Amino acid sequence: MGLLSDPNRRRALTNLLTRLNTPLWGMPVDWLVKAMQARGLEVFTQSFSRTLPFPDENKERYMVHGTNVYGILRAPRAPRTEALVLSAPCTPGSSNNQAVGLLLGLAQYFRGQMYWAKDIIFLVNEHDLIGMQAWLEGYHHTNTTGMSWTPLEGRGGSIQAALSLELSSDIITSLDLVLEGLNGQLPNLDLANLFYAFCQKIGVLCTIQGKLQRNDWDSAAGYSQAVQTMLLMVLKQASGRPWGDHGLFLRYHIEAASIRGINSFRQYKTDLTTVGKLLEGMFRKLNNLLERLHQSYFFYLLPSLSRFVSIGYYMPAFGLLAAILLLRALDLWVQLGSPAPGTEDGLPFGPGVLSVLTPLIISHLTGVALYTLPIMAQQTAVEHFPVSETEAVVLTAIAIYTAGLALPHNTHRVLSGEGTEEGWRVLKLIAIFYMAVLLGCTALINFSLGFILALTLVPVAAFITPHVPRVLSALVMVLLSPGSTLLFSIFVYQELQEAPITLLEGWNLFLSVISQGILDHNLYGSLVYPLISLLVYPCWLLLWNILFWK
Amino acid sequence: MTAGRCTAALLAAVLVCGLTCASTAAAEEAITEEYESISNANEHVQAQDDYARSQKRREITEHDDDQNEPPPSSSSSSSSSSSSSSSPPSKDYFKEELVIRPLSSGDIYASFQFQTRWDTDFFAPGKKVSHYRLFPKSLGQLMSKFSVREMHVSFTQGYWRTMQWGQPFLPAPPGAELWVWFQDSVADVDGAWKELTNVLSGIFCASLNFIDSTNTVEPTASFKPLGVGNVTHQRFLRYAVLPREIVCTENLTPWKKLLPCGSKAGLAVLMKSEKLFHSSFLSLAVHIRPVCQDWGCKGTAWELRQTVNVVFDLHTTGQGKREWSFFKMFSRTLTEACPLATSSKVYIDVTDNPQGELFELNPAAPSLTQAVVLGDRRTYAVYDLMASGTFGLLRSLNVLLRWKTPGNFSTQVDMLRPLLHGERYVAGYGLQTGEIHTLIYNNHPYRAFPVLLLDIVPWYLRLYIHTLTVTSKSRENKPSYIHYQPSKDRLRPHLLEMLIQLPPNSVTEVTVQFERALLKWTEYTPDPNHGFYVGSSVISALVPSVVAMDTIFPESSYFVRVYTEPLLVNLPTPDFSMPYNVICLTCTVVAVGYGSLYNLLTRTFQVEEPSPGVVKRLANMIRYLRGVPLL
């Protein structure tokens, strides 16, 4: 652990930081290239451009042009087959300059070492996730989101692990580990364990979800904090968005995590040297890997950094919820199978096919409209209403979503005859099977999302019939619809973050979350928005249809 | 001097140049000839008449460059005949040389070459060679036992960075590479190959015994014999690469033992393993080939070339200071030449430093020499270890290269633009399919030239050969020659050879998609593994020379072989802990469930009449006597 122990290196790092702290507009590409070359790295740049489908009001960007700068430290002992990545997003302004400085300092130190068996790529990406997406697509020569970038010239083989460094303030009191990636993917738990072990060794405060671990596990307060931490993880994972620059690596089966320096105004302060030591330790461990990380878990929930809930424990909870649907379906099947008193040789599907197929098709068409129209119609909406593009997209989505509620009445106008008793049973059977399969698959890929959806949708699905009190049930159904679930989740999330918000703020946040969801899908290929609009929402509409069955 | 060193290779190169120009104009018909010439051009000595021609040329020019020794390892690019300029009358001789070239990146490249030549015939009928002097006996016996005509083996750690270091004297792929031409008389080539690899594995303490039919190929054009002899069919050629092979001191030690002086004297003293392996690149190689005994080529001699190429890093070995000396590089100095050697020299490349303005040599070089190496005219400072004055008063030679501007060298480090350069990577994500991209750069501003690309892909990557595309400058570039041998599962790899014309100043991209096979469960490595390796592709080409117009061949070409990086591919791997879990679970179920069930089913149940106790029997007897009912 000789990093920065000698005064020369420390002085070099200080100079770097002073240089970086001067205000900048855009990324200092040339300077970075020179700085990396001076440290003996092979330096390459990649420029990219992307026009967002509609302006992103949170980050104020629409037409994005940027350049990624990366330097490769060639491992003396390996023929360019494996690589590790250390990345630091560089944004206009000076928000992450500490991280870039530390990255360069580490590059200089690492360059003088002999023991590297994997190439180390030092990446400074502009426009955070968009730059990272461009770089990863360039590195793997894929194009999933229609971004334009220049091809990469230097590579280091297959990337084994990646760490992304974000130091938001000059003073760091604790380090936060961010694991949740695109579509709720998580890196191997060993990466989290590695981080925790080194934090313990060096004596750095480390948190997850911004919550410090408590030692009193048995007390109520300790338990409740663990639950809160885990709930935060569930909510973040369910959102399906990358919560740090590492999130996009996971698609390529690269174990990655973000390390975020946080100033929580504690007494204890961590200087950059300590963070550097931590990173050095982690990189040396990763460098020594003889195989990809796979011994530990990929599916887990963390109530704290040192404890985890494995898939074996949390899956039964979902399984029990899904069992309700299956039992309900079995019940309906039996009911349908016993010949109704009116008909003779039981042709239950005869009259029902049309009455079942029509709501199925119509609700899915609504889903398709919900998926496609907001972005397609933004131009028209902006011309006719006094709203911005982003508002237009979000409000169109909400409008289509609400319009879907009026569907049952219109469906019946299309239908020739009246809905029969068997008709709704068949429809419900189909809807319940549909939901069971849908939720089951979702929970396998992204447990949190599947579980939250199951929690709200399964009770509705189990009890809905045309014979329950209509107004009350309609109210309950709307409150438990996917859209409302999102709204509630926002409030819960803010509550857990200890940043409660008013109703109006919550509504504004709701609107921005919807726009972010659509953007995530378009920019990085997050699947939550299409899943909700194309599958979950139509499925919910089927149940809504049953409630208004005539 | 330059002319003197020109041989068949250059002649063929000139031939090709003409053809190249022709083919750019009127493409198709010239292409087949072009292919032949490129595949022949890497034969350093082609045939005897070529040899004779070059000899004449040598005689013409020999007078004016008598004192100039041919520079060293450059012979890879030019000729085998270099050795005979001062050939002693003895039957065998040994020459050693060390070339040091400071690289523009600040690193330093040291290339050792030890050459042993022996005028004998291993295969003369009825004569068994048993008396060895300088030539290592283990290799000699191997040659005669397996009827080897030519053998090239190399062990390399690290990857040669063409973009920073330029071309190496002797290219080698990462890991182990072995290619062997057998004599025409060998009937069972595969059997001989198998045994040979196992013997070599023992000699060099390497895992060459892992070479089997799944990683052996017979390239049609990329590897031609480098020695004299008739051109034979490629079925006598075997080529294999082990990209995973890790080079260590245990390979260096047997390698050193093949030298006549071992590591006791001469240049080999410098080869201290802890310093050699503390480097960015290290390549050990052994090349054996037949050469002509004399100008008339009446008989063949055997030439053994042992080379070590090593690059020391500026930042790790040099501590960031651009100052190199023998002691800093090898932590040894030279004290004497190998007593058995007829020539022992150290060359230092001072081309960029003709007047000593960049760096200075200490002690100053006694003489300078010039040579054309890899198409470029280089100037070398020569230290002759046989000369008595070389070692000075201290009886040791420690050449020091000190840069005059030690400061800002690293800011002006720019990527070189070598004329030919290749790289390769796997594109795509997921564990089902992927795409291999090979990029070949032609950085020559105005000359197109053809290259031969050789790709060996293991069978577990199933190539979709219909997806093969070759594009240059975003237009399709049709290869004029394609040799494709499909793989057979568990038997042989894919072999793809192509002759591609590279347009000037262009990047040619060769892509082919593949599917990852699902292996049988015993075929996965039991140990921790990084993944599955795919060996380097080999790009062989005749590259137009950049030597200025004042040489005899203004537009000549030179032969270059470039290896791309090996690939690491992950195959879909099942969770191997699962069978274990299943076995545990099953055993528990069987033990508990089946055991009790079996117990229940096979046991016969009887109501057991307990034999009454003594007290009871006594009581009953009393009751019986009294006439009351028994208990």
Side-chain angles (χ1 to χ4, degrees):
Chain A
M1 300 292 167
L3 177 69
L4 304 179
S5 52
D6 69 318
N8 286 331
R9 286 220 174 91
R10 202 192 294 267
R11 203 173 308 128
L13 183 58
T14 320
N15 287 341
L16 270 176
L17 293 180
T18 342
R19 169 67 184 83
L20 279 162
N21 276 330
T22 52
L24 304 162
W25 285 273
M27 202 168 83
V29 174
D30 293 338
W31 183 80
L32 272 171
V33 169
K34 280 206 188 90
M36 285 189 180
Q37 275 176 347
R39 278 155 188 79
L41 305 183
E42 283 182 31
V43 189
F44 306 93
T45 56
Q46 179 204 30
S47 52
F48 58 91
S49 67
R50 173 79 214 234
T51 307
L52 274 56
F54 55 90
D56 182 354
E57 290 189 347
N58 282 35
K59 291 185 173 157
E60 292 175 355
R61 54 192 184 191
Y62 180 51
M63 289 164 77
V64 179
H65 298 277
T67 312
N68 293 324
V69 180
Y70 65 104
I72 305 182
L73 192 171
R74 294 294 182 191
R77 304 196 182 280
R80 299 190 179 181
T81 47
E82 291 172 301
L84 303 171
V85 175
L86 176 63
S87 76
C90 186
T91 41
S94 57
S95 57
N96 204 25
N97 287 344
Q98 301 278 328
V100 178
L102 182 59
L103 177 131
L104 291 174
L106 280 173
Q108 181 160 22
Y109 175 67
F110 284 3
R111 184 64 178 85
Q113 306 308 312
M114 201 61 212
Y115 43 68
W116 299 113
K118 296 177 169 62
D119 288 3
I120 299 179
I121 303 177
F122 295 92
L123 168 66
V124 179
N125 53 317
E126 201 174 358
H127 299 295
D128 45 60
L129 281 164
I130 296 181
M132 191 54 95
Q133 173 84 4
W135 190 79
L136 279 169
E137 286 192 349
Y139 197 92
H140 294 96
H141 209 283
T142 56
N143 204 334
T144 47
T145 54
M147 181 184 282
S148 58
W149 34 259
T150 52
L152 298 191
E153 282 173 1
R155 284 182 176 75
S158 100
I159 302 174
Q160 302 289 306
L163 289 178
S164 170
L165 188 64
E166 292 170 35
L167 306 176
S168 50
S169 78
D170 294 358
I171 300 160
I172 297 155
T173 56
S174 61
L175 291 176
D176 189 46
L177 183 69
V178 187
L179 296 170
E180 299 86 3
L182 188 71
N183 291 325
Q185 280 179 297
L186 298 170
N188 194 285
L189 187 57
D190 274 338
L191 201 64
N193 293 339
L194 180 64
F195 172 74
Y196 180 66
F198 263 98
C199 283
Q200 294 296 99
K201 189 176 174 190
I202 296 172
V204 182
L205 283 184
C206 54
T207 60
I208 188 155
Q209 323 295 353
K211 303 232 182 229
L212 204 60
Q213 182 173 337
R214 291 174 67 117
N215 289 324
D216 47 343
W217 284 98
D218 309 329
S219 70
Y223 187 79
S224 103
Q225 193 183 11
V227 168
Q228 284 178 18
T229 316
M230 195 167 83
L231 262 181
L232 268 174
M233 179 162 185
V234 167
L235 287 174
K236 278 188 177 175
Q237 197 189 5
S239 72
R241 53 181 321 201
W243 285 83
D245 281 2
H246 72 282
L248 299 172
F249 281 97
L250 298 169
R251 180 209 296 267
Y252 302 92
H253 190 20
I254 298 164
E255 311 311 327
S258 288
I259 295 175
R260 212 164 263 172
I262 287 178
N263 182 9
S264 49
F265 305 103
R266 290 193 182 84
Q267 284 295 310
Y268 185 84
K269 292 197 177 38
T270 305
D271 59 349
L272 275 186
T273 317
T274 321
V275 185
K277 268 186 195 169
L278 173 87
L279 286 172
E280 187 202 355
M282 289 184 74
F283 268 90
R284 285 191 70 170
K285 283 275 181 188
L286 291 170
N287 176 57
N288 291 344
L289 277 184
L290 286 179
E291 52 189 333
R292 271 178 183 276
L293 289 176
H294 74 271
Q295 298 289 6
S296 193
Y297 287 82
F298 285 97
F299 298 97
Y300 53 86
L301 296 173
L302 291 177
S304 79
L305 258 179
S306 59
R307 315 256 164 154
F308 73 98
V309 179
S310 87
I311 187 170
Y313 290 104
Y314 65 62
M315 257 338 208
F318 175 82
L320 290 175
L321 276 174
I324 299 176
L325 291 178
L326 293 180
L327 289 175
R328 198 76 208 167
L330 195 67
D331 178 36
L332 280 170
W333 181 256
V334 172
Q335 281 180 28
L336 281 171
S338 59
T343 50
E344 264 136 36
D345 51 11
L347 252 176
F349 294 95
V353 169
L354 191 65
S355 64
V356 169
L357 210 57
T358 322
L360 259 178
I361 291 174
I362 289 180
S363 57
H364 278 91
L365 286 180
T366 320
V368 172
L370 179 59
Y371 176 63
T372 50
L373 279 187
I375 288 178
M376 278 168 60
Q378 54 166 318
Q379 207 51 50
T380 328
V382 169
E383 278 167 19
H384 290 89
F385 301 101
V387 286
S388 71
E389 277 97 343
T390 319
E391 283 170 333
V393 170
V394 176
L395 294 177
T396 316
I398 296 179
I400 295 170
Y401 189 87
T402 326
L405 302 186
L407 271 184
H409 315 286
N410 304 327
T411 324
H412 288 296
R413 231 170 275 157
V414 176
L415 282 181
S416 50
E418 290 232 315
T420 57
E421 193 69 3
E422 266 138 16
W424 74 260
R425 289 222 169 98
V426 174
L427 183 58
K428 187 169 173 188
L429 184 65
I430 291 173
I432 281 181
F433 266 129
Y434 187 172
M435 186 175 284
V437 171
L438 183 61
L439 294 181
C441 295
T442 312
L444 282 181
I445 297 164
N446 183 348
F447 166 76
S448 304
L449 183 61
F451 187 73
I452 289 178
L453 286 176
L455 216 53
T456 52
L457 290 179
V458 166
V460 175
F463 294 110
I464 209 74
T465 63
H467 307 306
V468 290
R470 210 161 266 181
V471 179
L472 186 66
S473 312
L475 188 67
V476 171
M477 274 203 72
V478 170
L479 285 181
L480 289 178
S481 76
S484 318
T485 312
L486 176 61
L487 189 60
F488 300 145
S489 303
I490 289 169
F491 281 106
V492 174
Y493 179 76
Q494 292 294 333
E495 199 62 42
L496 289 171
Q497 288 276 31
E498 293 162 13
I501 41 169
T502 62
L503 273 182
L504 186 66
E505 284 168 346
W507 176 254
N508 283 334
L509 203 55
F510 178 64
L511 296 185
S512 90
V513 163
I514 294 176
S515 73
Q516 290 297 312
I518 299 175
L519 273 179
D520 280 350
H521 171 59
N522 280 292
L523 290 182
Y524 320 121
S526 157
L527 291 175
V528 175
Y529 182 64
L531 178 83
I532 300 285
S533 59
L534 290 176
L535 297 171
V536 177
Y537 177 63
C539 189
W540 181 84
L541 274 183
L542 289 179
L543 299 173
W544 184 254
N545 241 310
I546 293 166
L547 182 65
F548 291 97
W549 194 268
K550 285 189 190 121
Chain B
M1 153 76 220
T2 317
R5 299 179 39 72
C6 275
T7 58
L10 290 184
L11 291 176
V14 177
L15 196 70
V16 167
C17 283
L19 286 174
T20 313
C21 303
S23 74
T24 41
E28 290 302 323
E29 62 267 33
I31 270 167
T32 45
E33 296 168 55
E34 195 178 279
Y35 153 64
E36 279 174 8
S37 51
I38 190 174
S39 58
N40 287 336
N42 53 3
E43 302 171 26
H44 284 221
V45 176
Q46 202 171 15
Q48 302 203 356
D49 52 349
D50 279 350
Y51 196 86
R53 257 194 286 169
S54 72
Q55 179 226 346
K56 263 182 219 144
R57 205 180 290 285
R58 169 174 289 276
E59 281 167 358
I60 298 166
T61 50
E62 214 159 43
H63 309 291
D64 47 23
D65 52 38
D66 262 347
Q67 69 275 37
N68 286 352
E69 276 300 319
S73 316
S74 60
S75 49
S76 71
S77 68
S78 38
S79 153
S80 67
S81 62
S82 61
S83 55
S84 34
S85 57
S86 61
S87 70
S90 70
K91 254 186 94 188
D92 54 352
Y93 68 82
F94 172 69
K95 285 162 84 172
E96 55 181 12
E97 60 199 23
L98 165 63
V99 188
I100 289 177
R101 186 208 278 178
L103 300 169
S104 62
S105 62
D107 304 336
I108 197 153
Y109 174 31
S111 173
F112 292 87
Q113 175 169 282
F114 302 91
Q115 195 175 27
T116 313
R117 224 186 83 161
W118 190 17
D119 300 345
T120 185
D121 190 2
F122 286 120
F123 308 108
K127 194 187 106 192
K128 194 165 175 246
V129 181
S130 55
H131 181 68
Y132 290 82
R133 205 174 78 96
L134 294 175
F135 202 90
K137 190 172 181 182
S138 55
L139 291 183
Q141 285 178 332
L142 184 110
M143 303 281 295
S144 47
K145 177 160 195 314
F146 298 110
S147 307
V148 175
R149 183 172 145 192
E150 225 173 75
M151 185 181 86
H152 305 268
V153 57
S154 73
F155 304 97
T156 308
Q157 167 188 286
Y159 179 72
W160 183 269
R161 305 170 197 169
T162 320
M163 291 294 275
Q164 287 172 306
W165 298 340
Q167 297 291 350
F169 293 127
L170 266 175
E177 183 197 44
L178 174 66
W179 57 286
V180 174
W181 277 95
F182 289 95
Q183 298 284 349
D184 300 359
S185 54
V186 178
D188 178 17
V189 180
D190 285 318
W193 170 248
K194 181 80 202 151
E195 275 189 63
L196 177 71
T197 54
N198 278 286
V199 172
L200 282 176
S201 162
I203 292 180
F204 291 108
C205 288
S207 350
L208 292 174
N209 52 328
F210 283 98
I211 293 176
D212 55 12
S213 67
T214 59
N215 48 22
T216 304
V217 290
E218 301 164 26
T220 53
S222 293
F223 289 90
K224 289 287 170 188
L226 299 184
V228 287
N230 300 324
V231 178
T232 54
H233 194 260
Q234 88 241 16
R235 73 194 153 90
F236 298 106
L237 169 67
R238 291 293 179 275
Y239 175 82
V241 173
L242 297 174
R244 254 227 78 178
E245 178 72 13
I246 291 171
V247 187
C248 198
T249 43
E250 63 180 7
N251 305 118
L252 181 66
T253 312
W255 185 95
K256 282 198 278 197
K257 282 185 181 158
L258 299 177
L259 296 172
C261 291
S263 52
K264 301 281 191 303
L267 293 174
V269 168
L270 297 179
M271 286 193 279
K272 198 176 167 190
S273 58
E274 64 208 61
K275 294 304 274 186
L276 282 190
F277 286 95
H278 199 276
S279 61
S280 308
F281 176 85
L282 172 69
S283 175
L284 309 171
V286 171
H287 302 271
I288 301 176
R289 61 172 181 175
V291 292
C292 282
Q293 259 182 20
D294 47 17
W295 293 116
C297 215
K298 300 264 170 25
T300 54
W302 289 92
E303 183 201 69
L304 163 71
R305 277 199 296 159
Q306 288 180 256
T307 60
V308 173
N309 288 288
V310 60
V311 177
F312 292 103
D313 191 271
L314 170 71
H315 293 265
T316 55
T317 312
Q319 281 103 33
K321 268 171 78 184
R322 204 164 183 190
E323 185 183 303
W324 294 102
S325 65
F326 280 177
F327 194 77
K328 190 170 179 184
M329 288 188 271
F330 306 106
S331 76
R332 299 265 172 94
T333 54
L334 287 175
T335 50
E336 57 173 337
C338 172
L340 296 171
T342 48
S343 144
S344 175
K345 281 179 183 170
V346 176
Y347 298 82
I348 291 169
D349 192 332
V350 291
T351 315
D352 308 326
N353 186 35
Q355 310 302 325
E357 63 264 23
L358 271 180
F359 57 86
E360 56 177 354
L361 287 174
N362 186 18
S367 63
L368 290 179
T369 179
Q370 280 203 339
V372 174
V373 181
L374 295 171
D376 196 5
R377 170 168 285 189
R378 315 293 299 184
T379 314
Y380 292 94
V382 190
Y383 296 87
D384 190 353
L385 301 189
M386 310 294 269
S388 55
T390 310
F391 293 107
L393 291 171
L394 295 169
R395 303 298 306 148
S396 89
L397 177 65
N398 179 21
V399 179
L400 176 73
L401 288 82
R402 185 184 287 130
W403 265 257
K404 290 185 172 159
T405 52
N408 270 337
F409 62 89
S410 50
T411 51
Q412 41 115 28
V413 169
D414 223 3
M415 292 288 172
L416 296 176
R417 283 170 60 82
L419 290 183
L420 177 67
H421 162 62
E423 59 184 63
R424 197 154 71 130
Y425 60 93
V426 180
Y429 59 92
L431 284 179
Q432 195 192 354
T433 55
E435 196 168 38
I436 296 178
H437 286 238
T438 311
L439 302 176
I440 310 170
Y441 293 81
N442 173 4
N443 286 331
H444 200 286
Y446 54 88
R447 288 282 300 274
F449 56 84
V451 297
L452 264 171
L453 174 71
L454 168 72
D455 242 331
I456 303 161
V457 182
W459 62 265
Y460 38 79
L461 302 187
R462 306 225 158 93
L463 290 188
Y464 293 154
I465 202 70
H466 71 277
T467 60
L468 179 75
T469 57
V470 184
T471 44
S472 319
K473 293 186 169 172
S474 62
R475 259 181 305 154
E476 196 195 340
N477 183 351
K478 203 164 173 293
S480 40
Y481 165 77
I482 295 187
H483 171 71
Y484 175 64
Q485 187 189 42
S487 73
K488 281 185 188 160
D489 277 7
R490 295 168 185 87
L491 280 181
R492 71 172 191 212
H494 301 269
L495 169 67
L496 180 61
E497 268 186 301
M498 286 187 284
L499 183 74
I500 307 169
Q501 180 81 16
L502 303 184
N505 201 9
S506 68
V507 185
T508 304
E509 186 165 24
V510 181
T511 64
V512 61
Q513 292 178 8
F514 64 86
E515 183 188 278
R516 298 161 205 241
L518 197 60
L519 302 186
K520 290 179 180 169
W521 69 282
T522 45
E523 286 165 348
Y524 291 95
T525 50
D527 313 316
N529 67 318
H530 299 260
F532 289 81
Y533 286 82
V534 180
S536 310
S537 334
V538 189
I539 303 166
S540 320
L542 278 175
V543 173
S545 174
V546 290
V547 172
M549 305 296 274
D550 59 341
T551 53
I552 289 183
F553 298 99
E555 287 274 310
S556 63
S557 301
Y558 60 102
F559 179 75
V560 166
R561 183 167 286 153
V562 175
Y563 292 93
T564 64
E565 47 275 77
L567 302 177
L568 180 63
V569 182
N570 280 298
L571 296 186
T573 312
D575 177 9
F576 285 114
S577 68
M578 204 171 139
Y580 170 76
N581 295 342
V582 171
I583 288 168
C584 286
L585 201 68
T586 327
C587 289
T588 317
V589 169
V590 166
V592 178
Y594 175 76
S596 43
L597 195 70
Y598 182 76
N599 203 352
L600 277 176
L601 288 174
T602 53
R603 182 173 287 179
T604 49
F605 291 92
Q606 291 170 339
V607 182
E608 196 179 323
E609 287 289 330
S611 60
V614 183
V615 182
K616 205 176 175 183
R617 227 181 288 169
L618 201 65
N620 276 345
M621 202 181 292
I622 298 167
R623 278 172 171 248
Y624 175 72
L625 292 174
R626 281 171 61 201
V628 224
L630 304 179
L631 275 172

